[in-house]
Amino acid sequence: MVAALHKNPEQIRSELTASDCNLIHAAMGVSGEAGELLDAVKKAVIYRIPLNVENVIEELGDLEFFMEQIRAELGIPREETLAANMAKLAKRYENFKYSNAAAQARNDKA
Ligand SMILES: [Mg+2]
């Protein structure tokens, strides 16, 4: 029943562009590197061993690499993403002050 809702993979493949492939590659990269960063934090927090900051720096760099691939593909300057994030947070947190209530209310989504 659910399978009837799946898009035909041959159709997906036939519709792919080089840009699509580049975006898929980069998005997979971001996801994979986020997992590697999470693993580094997990080892420190769960196994109670010192955080490997060198590894964290490496994974943050890897994330930047793949995020830049997405930005380049779409022609989005890094500064634009940072400004959009600041604008979102300004709506979410009055006077840029964190609160649990504001985090849950997510006023930027209203
Ligand atoms: Mg990595």
Side-chain angles (χ1 to χ4, degrees), residues 14-92:
S14 72
E15 293 171 347
L16 281 178
T17 65
S19 175
D20 294 334
C21 294
N22 197 27
L23 288 172
I24 290 168
H25 174 200
M28 286 190 301
V30 167
S31 182
E33 299 304 337
E36 291 177 14
L37 175 62
L38 182 61
D39 191 57
V41 172
K42 179 201 76 180
K43 286 173 178 160
V45 172
I46 304 301
Y47 304 159
R48 306 310 305 167
I49 58 177
L51 179 65
N52 184 338
V53 176
E54 221 173 90
N55 183 227
V56 168
I57 291 168
E58 177 188 337
E59 304 311 344
L60 290 173
D62 290 344
L63 280 163
E64 289 286 351
F65 176 88
F66 284 115
M67 288 192 297
E68 180 55 28
Q69 188 174 349
I70 294 171
R71 289 191 294 261
E73 179 61 41
L74 300 176
I76 302 169
R78 183 171 190 266
E79 295 71 26
E80 186 177 335
T81 65
L82 297 176
N85 185 249
M86 284 297 107
K88 178 183 84 172
L89 295 175
K91 279 188 199 165
R92 187 174 299 183

